[in-house]
Amino acid sequence: MHNAPVGFRELDERFAVAGDDYLECLFSGGRWTEGPVYVPSGKYLLFSDIPNDRIMRWDETDGSVSVFRSPAGYANGHALDRQGRLVSCEHGARRVTRTELDGSLTVIADRWEGKRFNSPNDVVVANDGAIWFTDPPYGITSDYEGHRAEPEIDGCHVYRVDPGTGAVERVADDFERPNGLAFSPDESVLYIADTRRGHLRRFDVDGGRLSGGELFCESPGGNFDGLRVDVEGRVWAAAADVYCFHPDGTHLATLPIPQPSVSNLVFGGPKRNRLFITATDSVYSIMLNTNGAWSL
Ligand code: MG
């Protein structure tokens, strides 16, 4: 393990949330890490290593890394629901599942109007318990991140699982490759990445419906993948590096990551002021002078 002496490149004085000026490498030796989620009850981070079909567990109490689950359905993105249960996107089984407190799996969604999803990629759980997820094809276009298969659905869309009925609703159908998604702190706004188009879009959320969907920002480098929002509404997004944006869309700062590509990030630690970053074959973290929003 090494500590790379890199810090933020600040572009705008409104950033002002840098904590440590160095990045810690917590893990290397994966093949394509993704889907970080911090579990506060156990003080550990889970993340996917998709091509190796495993979910890994980094223990904050002693720094050890172990295999949490393998095989893991070629899991990608994860989130916690309000009961602390793990909600996971699985490329392999082309579904979204929940890990119950006894360890068993419950299928949340595996098809829409009778057709199997492409390969659910990333997920967020709203305060009302609704589960929102994206469905690009990266798990079925080859055998690398899942199982090669023909798509059954005409396109790559965004879905919402109703917390009351469990019904799956399509909430956006004009993306090319929807990927990461995150709510603003009050959940009135949902940001969604379109990886192929290289931009983030901003939607207004009302009653489980989306409106708007205008361009929020273009990627400064590489294509957007996962994203999260801090308590002051700044948007933190993964692409070639980690980029931080003001809620008005201004690019505030860049955190260079010494890997070819960054897949995702999540706020964690007991105070949610540590940013965990999955990038290519590794996992990094950096302390911040801000805290992650409670949307998990
Ligand atoms: Mg993703």
Side-chain angles (χ1 to χ4, degrees):
M1 300 296 170
H2 62 279
N3 292 335
V6 295
F8 287 95
R9 285 204 302 264
E10 297 187 21
L11 308 172
D12 187 301
E13 63 184 15
R14 291 175 294 177
F15 181 62
V17 296
D20 281 342
D21 60 358
Y22 64 92
L23 198 63
E24 296 172 75
C25 183
L26 305 178
F27 170 75
S28 286
R31 194 168 291 280
W32 178 249
T33 60
E34 243 282 13
V37 61
Y38 182 81
V39 182
S41 60
K43 289 192 175 179
Y44 57 84
L45 180 84
L46 299 178
F47 59 94
S48 298
D49 181 7
I50 305 175
N52 286 323
D53 194 12
R54 58 184 183 170
I55 301 172
M56 307 298 288
R57 177 185 186 275
W58 172 83
D59 191 321
E60 188 175 26
T61 66
D62 64 6
S64 63
V65 178
S66 56
V67 177
F68 176 78
R69 181 184 299 165
S70 183
Y74 289 88
N76 188 339
H78 305 279
L80 293 187
D81 70 10
R82 288 305 189 272
Q83 287 74 50
R85 298 172 297 190
L86 183 67
V87 177
S88 303
C89 294
E90 296 182 16
H91 281 183
R94 301 164 69 173
R95 65 187 185 179
V96 177
T97 60
R98 180 175 62 228
T99 301
E100 306 295 346
L101 298 180
D102 67 3
S104 62
L105 293 186
T106 297
V107 177
I108 301 295
D110 62 355
R111 54 194 71 220
W112 185 76
E113 294 193 341
K115 296 176 177 141
R116 299 185 74 192
F117 292 118
N118 299 316
S119 50
N121 186 292
D122 214 344
V123 60
V124 65
V125 183
N127 193 41
D128 64 1
I131 295 170
W132 301 66
F133 65 95
T134 56
D135 187 41
Y138 302 118
I140 59 171
T141 50
S142 75
D143 287 322
Y144 185 66
E145 290 192 27
H147 310 294
R148 186 195 303 273
E150 289 299 315
E152 296 184 17
I153 289 178
D154 59 340
C156 303
H157 309 300
V158 184
Y159 298 89
R160 174 184 181 271
V161 182
D162 186 89
T165 66
V168 182
E169 306 154 339
R170 182 180 285 182
V171 291
D173 62 0
D174 59 348
F175 280 78
E176 286 198 42
R177 295 290 184 269
N179 201 322
L181 68 178
F183 285 107
S184 63
D186 66 1
E187 298 192 0
S188 66
V189 172
L190 181 66
Y191 301 96
I192 309 176
D194 192 321
T195 295
R196 178 172 283 178
R197 292 178 181 149
H199 62 214
L200 300 183
R201 294 171 63 188
R202 179 191 185 284
F203 290 86
D204 293 310
V205 185
D206 187 13
R209 295 281 178 272
L210 298 180
S211 60
E214 65 274 14
L215 175 70
F216 176 68
C217 63
E218 301 278 0
S219 173
N223 289 322
F224 282 126
D225 198 331
L227 56 141
R228 307 280 179 172
V229 175
D230 70 30
V231 288
E232 290 165 290
R234 299 180 197 87
V235 177
W236 298 73
D241 290 302
V242 171
Y243 304 107
C244 179
F245 300 90
H246 188 272
D248 69 8
T250 305
H251 180 195
L252 297 176
T254 295
L255 178 63
I257 305 295
Q259 291 287 340
S261 194
V262 184
S263 62
N264 214 330
L265 41 80
V266 72
F267 295 95
K271 297 179 179 177
R272 305 176 64 76
N273 62 342
R274 186 172 185 176
L275 189 66
F276 294 93
I277 300 149
T278 49
T280 309
D281 67 357
S282 299
V283 178
Y284 297 87
S285 82
I286 191 166
M287 299 297 291
L288 299 176
N289 188 21
T290 188
N291 311 77
W294 275 103
S295 177
L296 300 172

